[in-house]
Amino acid sequence: MNITERFLNYTAFDTQSSEESQTVPSTSKQLIFAEYLKNELVKEGLEDVEMDEKGYIYATLRSNTDSEVPVIGFISHYDTSPDCSGAGIKPRIVKNYDGGDILLSEGIVSSPAKFPELLEHVGEDLIVTDGKTLLGADDKAGIAEIIQAMCFLRDHPEIKHGDIRVAFNPDEEIGMGAHHFDVEKFGCKWAYTIDGGDIGELEYENFNAASAKVKLHGVSVHPGYAKGKMINANRLAAEFMALLPEGETPENTEGYEGFYHLLGIQSGIELAQLSYIIRDHDRERFENRKKCMLTCADVINDRYGDGTCEIVLNDQYYNMKEMIDPCKYVVDMVIEAMNDCGVQPQVKPIRGGTDGAQLSFKGLPCPNIFAGGVNFHGPYEFVSIQVMEKAMQVIVRICQLAARH
């Protein structure tokens, strides 16, 4: 089976996760695909294949060398985003893409005028949707690339490598993918998530992340008799928002710039509730952002009385760079592998999180490597077959280089 057939088979499974669920995995349909993957790994000859009750899959490609070689791993998630339907995906291959508009279905066009990333793939074979679902290259392309690489190594014993561990997990898209990942069972010195975007992407820096829940308590009085008595929580919410630094929002920032992001508002006269996320790559600036939120709450309480504003801050994850820097060779090895495979490394920070960040802080250094998908989480998602093949080659080369480490 080639990598294209493998990936297309995966798109037939609806594995959308759910932020509203309290179960693990968050949707039972993910387990249907997990069982399929487990059986596929057994069929392809990997050993120690197991799936736990939460849908985490682990397997091993055994070493073919007598040398002492570090055990390394490759990880991808199999859930797809709650942002767009993953049911009834109808993938289609656009062969030798010519740089023009792609008609996905009646009235739905993927155009380089709107998605200039398409022009980076002229002459390649693109897998697209019918414009009504996402594609699921995030991250089923990563799974296909990992398994194809293991099959290639199995069929080419002249390429020496140590034990290679692979793992596939649910619920990454809702931030829970690493929560139940058994690092001790995985047993690797280091690993890589194959969950990045376009060709050459290599990421080992991500945001430090926190959530902020703000409650603003008002006092409701008949508006005809409200002078000096009413405290309108709607207006308190507006005051609180105005206290935060202007322009430090997602739509006004890029690169290493952090932000405060207002996710939602529930508001009335007596109570307003604001939900924020706080992000910054720099740990000191991240801590200062949290202090800024607390200062805003203090200002409101000074104006209207203690207890008017309540705020709860919770750290979510941290920048994996802290854990990668002491073992930078895990990044250098990827750069060497990419160069050897004719791929130009594109090292950049993730403006978000990754399972690899949480795993790094659990003791498993875990940078993120491109899987090839573009325009994730929506109906204009696509992946280049040639890029998937390159990702597979990079994985193979990393395994070969690790055997020399």
Side-chain angles (χ1 to χ4, degrees), residues 221-227 230:
V221 178
H222 188 290
Y225 307 94
K227 185 173 181 179
M230 176 185 285

Side-chain angles (χ1 to χ4, degrees), residues 42 83 91 168 173 176 287 329 350 359 362 375 377 389:
V42 171
D83 295 345
F168 306 124
E173 297 291 1
M176 300 296 292
E287 296 299 332
Y329 59 85
I350 307 171
L359 292 173
K362 291 174 77 171
N375 296 336
H377 297 188
E389 290 170 343

Side-chain angles (χ1 to χ4, degrees), residues 248-278:
E248 294 187 14
T249 60
E251 60 269 34
N252 291 303
T253 54
E254 61 184 356
Y256 284 95
E257 297 171 332
F259 56 73
Y260 306 87
H261 180 34
L262 179 63
L263 295 178
I265 305 173
Q266 292 179 304
S267 188
I269 301 294
E270 289 194 320
L271 178 66
Q273 299 182 81
L274 310 179
S275 177
Y276 280 91
I277 58 173
I278 303 166

Side-chain angles (χ1 to χ4, degrees), residues 214 216 235-248 260 274 276 288-289 291-304 309 311:
V214 182
L216 296 146
R235 294 179 61 83
L236 293 178
E239 285 188 44
F240 184 92
M241 288 185 280
L243 290 170
L244 290 171
E246 186 177 357
E248 294 187 14
Y260 306 87
L274 310 179
Y276 280 91
N288 287 337
R289 287 186 184 281
K291 290 177 183 176
C292 178
M293 296 288 284
L294 294 172
T295 299
C296 293
D298 289 341
V299 169
I300 297 295
N301 287 328
D302 286 345
R303 289 176 181 174
Y304 298 98
C309 182
I311 185 167

Side-chain angles (χ1 to χ4, degrees), residues 151-266:
C151 292
F152 186 89
L153 289 168
R154 175 201 65 196
D155 295 339
H156 291 81
E158 72 277 9
I159 300 175
K160 299 305 176 185
H161 59 84
D163 280 353
I164 309 299
R165 293 281 278 162
V166 302
F168 306 124
N169 60 268
D171 291 340
E172 187 272 351
E173 297 291 1
I174 60 170
M176 300 296 292
H179 279 51
H180 301 282
F181 192 102
D182 193 330
V183 169
E184 184 177 353
K185 177 189 289 185
F186 198 44
C188 294
K189 186 173 181 181
W190 74 87
Y192 302 97
T193 49
I194 309 300
D195 190 23
D198 212 343
I199 188 166
E201 283 192 9
L202 170 57
E203 300 156 325
Y204 64 94
E205 299 180 66
N206 61 279
F207 277 138
N208 295 290
S211 66
K213 305 294 184 184
V214 182
K215 285 186 178 182
L216 296 146
H217 299 277
V219 176
S220 180
V221 178
H222 188 290
Y225 307 94
K227 185 173 181 179
K229 302 173 186 176
M230 176 185 285
I231 300 175
N232 188 334
N234 295 301
R235 294 179 61 83
L236 293 178
E239 285 188 44
F240 184 92
M241 288 185 280
L243 290 170
L244 290 171
E246 186 177 357
E248 294 187 14
T249 60
E251 60 269 34
N252 291 303
T253 54
E254 61 184 356
Y256 284 95
E257 297 171 332
F259 56 73
Y260 306 87
H261 180 34
L262 179 63
L263 295 178
I265 305 173
Q266 292 179 304

